Amino acid sequence: MAAKKVLLLCGDYMEDYEVMVPFQALQAYGVSVAAVCPGKKAGDVCRTAVHQGIGHQTYSETRGHNFALNASFDEITANGYDGLVIPGGRAPEYLAMDEKVLDLVRKFSDAKKPIASVCHGQLILAAAGVVQNRTCTAYPAVKPVLVAAGAKWDEPDTMAKCTVDGNLITAATYDSHPEFISLFVKALGGSVAGSDKKILFLCGDYMEDYEVMVPFQSLQALGCHVNAVCPDKGAGEKCPTALHDFEGDQTYSEKPGHDFTLTASFESVDASSYDALVIPGGRAPEYLALNDKVISLVKDFSDKGKPIATICHGQQILSAAGVLKGKKCTAYPAVKLNVVLGGGTWLEPDPIHRCFTDGNLVTGAAWPGHPEFVSQLMALLGIKVSF
């Protein structure tokens, strides 16, 4: 059967997580995803926004990653795709005024193809006139527009709320992603096998934003039980993240990312309770590699032969733990020194999204490699998505 093809409708200042998590998760599951924006072509960039609640009366906004489009809006047609995904953020405000966008959405709706829209994305659905008598949820501030457009409003009791009405999947915020993506995969005719796995994420302050959230929610969407821990922090506490991007300088830039909420206590973690370990990159690994309890935990996973997946600077921890000896692996290029001194055989990440598996070890160089990174971890765990 031909691979499923999905269209991702982008715009400047769409929410950072709400575009990248579905984009990379779906690719990891074997779905082809075309990301387009009106007035832009393949290779152009959309700026994104980091939105989160930090105690004020509405969400805050800071600059997100730059998102690279991989298709041209003027060259796509609705009949070339099996489904449509619409991220939220501020982009939908202006996309909802574009007649070409609205016509595209109507064509997906008329063909009864799955449409998955999150947060403020539902502004576009309302403008396209496809929510009449349809039950929808959204970010609460979108309620008046949806009601005026004839939708049946489904109040989000939590920001992880999802609602399904026929071919329409709507969600409140990026907290909804695990269910949102799972429902969309199901609507595309997908089924998941082998996902009854427990996976541990080793987190720290200023880990890279995408490198924790994309694999975390991608694995949750498959049905895995995923826990995130950080030394000296408990369940419900937060880790600030760093947003690393490539913007023409000699090294990556850094901006503040989302705050990431931990789900378990580090002190109570036992490797024997989990099937795999994931270590995000960013700046956290350089100090986590100094923590004896972290090193002991990593060695325990390695000694038991359990899958370990690390990306970017995460391999600094593997090197410090002495588990790279005799292993072939990659990492962010600046971490080559750690890999070689740790006894590993260096594999050049060319291109930067290249990932490698050697035995129980999956390594990647940077967040553009997430589709391969998650897919290779799925293969080690025996998780399959079929359409």
Side-chain angles (χ1 to χ4, degrees):
M1 188 178 191
K4 294 291 181 180
K5 293 177 68 178
V6 168
L7 192 66
L8 186 65
L9 183 56
C10 302
D12 284 332
Y13 298 106
M14 57 193 167
E15 212 288 328
D16 202 0
Y17 278 166
E18 289 170 7
V19 63
M20 188 56 94
V21 176
F23 181 68
Q24 292 191 317
L26 291 167
Q27 289 180 88
Y29 308 158
V31 178
S32 172
V33 187
V36 297
C37 174
K40 300 195 184 193
K41 60 186 186 300
D44 288 347
V45 162
C46 282
R47 299 194 187 281
T48 71
V50 170
H51 287 166
Q52 61 180 345
I54 56 172
H56 302 301
Q57 290 187 347
T58 189
Y59 52 86
S60 64
E61 177 175 315
T62 54
R63 276 284 302 281
H65 293 85
N66 295 313
F67 182 88
L69 304 167
N70 64 356
S72 302
F73 184 85
D74 289 340
E75 296 174 4
I76 56 97
T77 58
N79 60 16
Y81 296 90
D82 301 296
L84 174 67
V85 178
I86 307 176
R90 285 195 294 108
E93 292 179 339
Y94 81 87
L95 293 177
M97 299 189 297
D98 188 318
E99 277 304 322
K100 288 183 180 178
V101 166
L102 302 185
D103 183 59
L104 180 70
V105 172
R106 290 183 194 113
K107 284 176 178 168
F108 274 95
S109 180
D110 291 345
K112 302 275 191 291
K113 293 181 177 181
I115 299 174
S117 181
V118 65
C119 196
H120 286 72
Q122 288 81 305
L123 292 171
I124 297 172
L125 302 184
V130 301
V131 296
Q132 184 80 30
N133 295 318
R134 307 292 292 277
T135 302
C136 301
T137 196
Y139 187 71
V142 182
K143 175 182 177 179
V145 170
L146 284 173
V147 171
K152 298 173 184 174
W153 174 251
D154 193 4
E155 186 69 32
D157 47 350
T158 76
M159 290 299 101
K161 173 81 172 179
C162 288
T163 300
V164 181
D165 186 336
N167 67 316
L168 203 58
I169 301 161
T170 52
T173 67
Y174 52 73
D175 291 341
S176 316
H177 277 156
E179 185 181 4
F180 178 71
I181 295 168
S182 175
L183 289 168
F184 187 61
V185 167
K186 185 178 177 182
L188 291 170
S191 60
V192 182
S195 64
D196 54 337
K197 303 296 190 295
K198 284 190 72 178
I199 301 167
L200 185 67
F201 273 63
L202 181 56
C203 300
D205 288 344
Y206 299 104
M207 58 191 165
E208 212 286 329
D209 199 1
Y210 278 167
E211 289 171 6
V212 62
M213 187 59 104
V214 172
F216 188 82
Q217 290 191 320
S218 297
L219 293 164
Q220 285 184 314
L222 292 168
C224 299
H225 181 81
V226 189
N227 272 332
V229 299
C230 173
D232 303 318
K233 296 193 183 191
E237 292 189 74
K238 295 179 187 289
C239 286
T241 69
L243 196 153
H244 288 165
D245 212 346
F246 309 97
E247 301 183 289
D249 304 307
Q250 290 188 343
T251 190
Y252 51 85
S253 63
E254 178 169 312
K255 298 186 277 284
H258 299 79
D259 292 331
F260 183 85
T261 303
L262 302 167
T263 62
S265 167
F266 180 85
E267 298 304 321
S268 62
V269 163
D270 178 2
S272 61
S273 301
Y274 291 90
D275 298 297
L277 175 68
V278 177
I279 307 177
R283 288 196 289 106
E286 65 180 13
Y287 83 86
L288 292 175
L290 304 174
N291 186 309
D292 289 340
K293 290 180 179 177
V294 166
I295 298 303
S296 175
L297 180 67
V298 172
K299 284 181 176 176
D300 203 4
F301 271 92
S302 181
D303 291 345
K304 289 178 167 64
K306 296 190 174 189
I308 299 174
T310 70
I311 195 161
C312 197
H313 286 69
Q315 288 81 309
Q316 291 174 321
I317 297 173
L318 301 187
S319 179
V323 301
L324 289 181
K325 292 181 178 68
K327 290 285 190 181
K328 297 175 182 175
C329 70
T330 194
Y332 186 69
V335 182
K336 179 178 179 179
L337 181 62
N338 300 72
V339 170
V340 172
L341 292 177
T345 299
W346 176 253
L347 298 175
E348 197 66 38
D350 185 18
I352 197 70
H353 61 71
R354 189 82 194 274
C355 295
F356 298 93
T357 299
D358 183 3
N360 67 318
L361 185 64
V362 177
T363 54
W367 54 255
H370 280 149
E372 284 189 31
F373 182 72
V374 173
S375 176
Q376 290 183 28
L377 177 59
M378 287 168 60
L380 283 184
L381 289 169
I383 302 171
K384 291 191 175 109
V385 181
S386 306
F387 292 93

